Amino acid sequence: MVKESGVNYGSPMAYPTVGEHPRVLFTKDDIPAIRESIESSVGTAEYRKFVEYLDMEYLTGILGEPALNNRGFHNWDGQTLAAIQAHALAYAVYGDEFYGYSAIYAIKNYLLTLDVDYIKSDQCREFGMVMYIAAFVYDWCYPLLHETDKEFLIKGTVTKLASCLEVDYPPKNTGCVTGHSTSALILRDWLSFAIAVADEYPEIYNHIM
């Protein structure tokens, strides 16, 4: 049992099916419809952006030196995260291992090189988005992950990102139904990551659920 703010929360009543991936946002049964949706959007701005991310000559995920900008002093890069997500999706939907390995390599480098002095106003949003994309890579590219990759993504996320989130880990000092911290940090970022890693790290899933 987890006890927070005088309230006891029991164990989860549902668990992901062991060994079944993908399972964050969609399952294998959804892939034909996703592929059809992508192909039917040819020519749209969204499709062009997707192809632009896939056509990047070499996605390393390595971030530049932190610098002063309109959100603070850091090197967080949303476009690189979007490209990593696109590569992971291309593997999940089309099975192209090049994109899957590219996504794994890039998210590991992103976690290694992320350097934030400060971000103005709710920097947990930026850190949470990194966790969200890491969940996609872990889940959507699961067949390509080595054990060392899994361990790296767990440690890189829980150790480097969790302390930067308002709710920390295990989550504390927050409600579990409504509120700022719940809306994204728990119900999007942490929940997605917990579902992705539930087979190897059930304690994270139990805490978040």
Side-chain angles (χ1 to χ4, degrees):
M1 302 283 281
V2 178
K3 187 172 183 180
E4 298 173 3
S5 304
V7 178
N8 288 324
Y9 302 101
S11 299
M13 294 182 289
Y15 290 85
T17 300
V18 175
E20 183 179 282
H21 295 274
R23 60 193 185 199
V24 177
L25 296 189
F26 61 87
T27 70
K28 62 181 180 181
D29 294 335
D30 300 308
I31 290 176
I34 294 172
R35 188 183 297 121
E36 181 180 346
S37 179
I38 291 173
E39 292 168 359
S40 67
S41 68
V42 172
T44 66
E46 292 79 8
Y47 180 83
R48 291 196 300 271
K49 195 66 179 177
F50 180 60
V51 172
E52 178 184 322
Y53 287 138
L54 297 187
D55 284 345
M56 293 178 68
E57 184 173 346
Y58 193 47
L59 177 64
T60 67
I62 298 173
L63 301 172
E65 292 297 318
L68 185 65
N69 54 66
N70 62 358
R71 285 280 288 150
F73 194 90
H74 61 86
N75 63 357
W76 185 92
D77 184 351
Q79 288 298 308
T80 298
L81 286 177
I84 294 171
Q85 180 183 12
H87 282 223
L89 182 63
Y91 171 71
V93 173
Y94 296 109
D96 191 323
E97 293 188 358
F98 170 82
Y99 293 114
Y101 283 120
S102 173
I104 295 167
Y105 177 71
I107 193 63
K108 290 171 67 176
N109 281 332
Y110 197 104
L111 286 166
L112 278 172
T113 57
L114 179 63
D115 189 353
V116 175
D117 185 2
Y118 71 95
I119 297 178
K120 297 177 182 176
S121 178
D122 295 331
Q123 69 177 24
C124 57
R125 295 171 179 170
E126 280 82 358
F127 286 114
M129 183 57 69
V130 180
M131 179 180 287
Y132 194 43
I133 302 303
F136 295 155
V137 175
Y138 195 106
D139 180 54
W140 298 353
C141 303
Y142 189 85
L144 304 181
L145 293 175
H146 295 288
E147 293 304 313
T148 53
D149 296 324
K150 297 174 186 177
E151 184 177 0
F152 182 96
L153 289 176
I154 290 290
K155 290 183 176 179
T157 300
V158 175
T159 302
K160 187 164 188 174
L161 301 181
S163 62
C164 302
L165 305 179
E166 294 176 1
V167 296
D168 207 345
Y169 179 76
K172 56 181 179 289
N173 300 323
T174 182
C176 61
V177 179
T178 62
H180 164 69
S181 60
T182 301
S183 61
L185 300 185
I186 297 294
L187 295 182
R188 185 193 68 181
D189 307 330
W190 262 123
L191 182 57
S192 296
F193 195 76
I195 292 171
V197 306
D199 291 358
E200 291 79 19
Y201 301 90
E203 66 277 11
I204 294 179
Y205 183 82
N206 288 336
H207 276 304
I208 300 306
M209 290 296 288

